[in-house]
Amino acid sequence: MSAILDITNLRVRRSEAFALRIGHLRLQAGKILCVTGPNGSGKTTLIDCLTGLLAPTSGVITVCGQSVSNNLRATKAIIGFVPDDEQWFVKELCAKEYFALLQSIYIEAGVTADTGSNATRLAQSLHFTAFDQQLGSLSHGNKKKVQIIAGLMHEPKVIFLDELRNGLDPLAIIAAEELIKQEATRGACIVAATHDLWWAQRVADEIVLLIDGSVALHEKTATLVQRHGSLENLFLKTIRSRTKIRGTS
């Protein structure tokens, strides 16, 4: 079975002190991959490259067989992105206007999904009702709900999430997790960057642990738990081992 997402020899130089390096990483349709690691390990850099926001120094990223770098317009039509910041908002627009704007963009890009009906359905699932309120005046949690709706309304084949749970209340967290699982069942592959080890262990089919820009671990979640008891145990063991090695070098 061919991979929906394929990364080969990726290298991204962000500064003299830091570079992201991934030799090979593949993800199949219907799978959820959680990427975790300490602050500064490269999670955001990876997501930025996968979404086409940052050009890699070298290497190839393909989505559904298309190079992200060489076919940016086409690949953006089939990926969804739920960021952990507000820079994508047009703060003067109300949520209803924002979704209509995105709908017109998706139509122009050739998306055939019923984005309007999907936005309504997603809003109902997330208990979002502030359609007539300007985005800039929304609460943090409602802004996150808007981001989730915007990232999923066009039925993307690959979905990238950055700290999905941030800002959401418990009811919305449960609803968002259910939506993500539904997307995986639909056949989308999902890459979620998170610091929440418990959540990653609970929802992910596979785990990638990044440390200092390199993949320290890529393993199926069930295998990882069987060998180490929990992702938290493995995370702490790996970090302490690296710290000890540095201290004795």
Side-chain angles (χ1 to χ4, degrees):
M1 184 183 297
S2 61
I4 296 293
L5 175 66
D6 199 323
I7 302 171
T8 304
N9 297 326
L10 178 67
R11 184 177 177 86
V12 187
R13 171 64 68 179
R14 295 301 297 259
S15 67
E16 290 297 321
F18 178 81
L20 176 67
R21 303 169 297 277
I22 296 179
H24 198 194
L25 183 63
R26 307 181 75 198
L27 191 61
Q28 305 290 343
K31 298 298 182 181
I32 301 175
L33 171 73
C34 276
V35 181
T36 190
N39 292 331
S41 60
K43 298 185 298 298
T44 298
T45 297
L46 175 59
I47 294 294
D48 285 350
C49 284
L50 296 177
T51 54
L53 298 174
L54 177 66
T57 306
S58 60
V60 177
I61 301 169
T62 62
V63 174
C64 297
Q66 298 187 92
S67 166
V68 173
S69 298
N70 297 335
N71 303 280
L72 190 55
R73 178 183 173 89
T75 54
K76 283 193 173 182
I78 58 175
I79 67 173
F81 180 35
V82 180
D84 192 34
D85 58 56
E86 301 172 13
Q87 63 177 317
W88 306 107
F89 284 148
V90 183
K91 296 182 179 181
E92 294 76 16
L93 295 181
C94 67
K96 180 169 57 179
E97 293 168 334
Y98 182 59
F99 296 143
L101 173 63
L102 292 177
Q103 185 176 10
S104 65
I105 292 172
Y106 288 137
I107 291 173
E108 179 66 23
V111 172
T112 58
D114 188 347
T115 52
S117 295
N118 286 343
T120 300
R121 172 181 56 82
L122 291 164
Q124 291 173 343
S125 297
L126 293 167
H127 311 287
F128 177 80
T129 58
F131 289 98
D132 296 318
Q133 190 171 337
Q134 284 187 318
L135 298 179
S137 65
L138 291 176
S139 68
H140 182 38
N142 272 333
K143 287 177 180 176
K144 190 72 172 189
K145 291 177 183 179
V146 169
Q147 290 172 322
I148 294 170
I149 295 167
L152 302 183
M153 62 189 287
H154 58 300
E155 300 178 7
K157 294 183 178 180
V158 183
I159 301 169
F160 301 107
L161 313 171
D162 193 0
E163 298 294 357
L164 175 68
R165 292 155 56 94
N166 278 2
L168 297 178
D169 61 53
L171 188 61
I173 287 173
I174 294 170
E177 289 180 5
E178 183 59 32
L179 286 174
I180 294 308
K181 291 175 183 177
Q182 289 173 7
E183 291 298 312
T185 300
R186 178 176 62 80
C189 78
I190 297 163
V191 180
T194 183
H195 285 115
D196 191 331
L197 302 178
W198 173 81
W199 182 77
Q201 179 178 313
R202 189 161 60 85
V203 304
D205 298 295
E206 302 175 27
I207 300 289
V208 162
L209 174 59
L210 289 178
I211 299 180
D212 296 331
S214 297
V215 176
L217 170 85
H218 179 200
E219 198 165 338
K220 291 183 178 179
T221 309
T223 303
L224 182 154
V225 172
Q226 183 179 32
R227 291 178 178 175
H228 303 281
S230 70
L231 175 57
E232 181 179 55
N233 289 341
L234 178 59
F235 181 88
L236 293 175
K237 179 181 178 180
T238 304
I239 295 299
R240 287 166 180 166
S241 175
R242 295 270 182 135
T243 302
K244 184 177 180 180
I245 291 173
R246 287 174 181 169
T248 58
S249 60

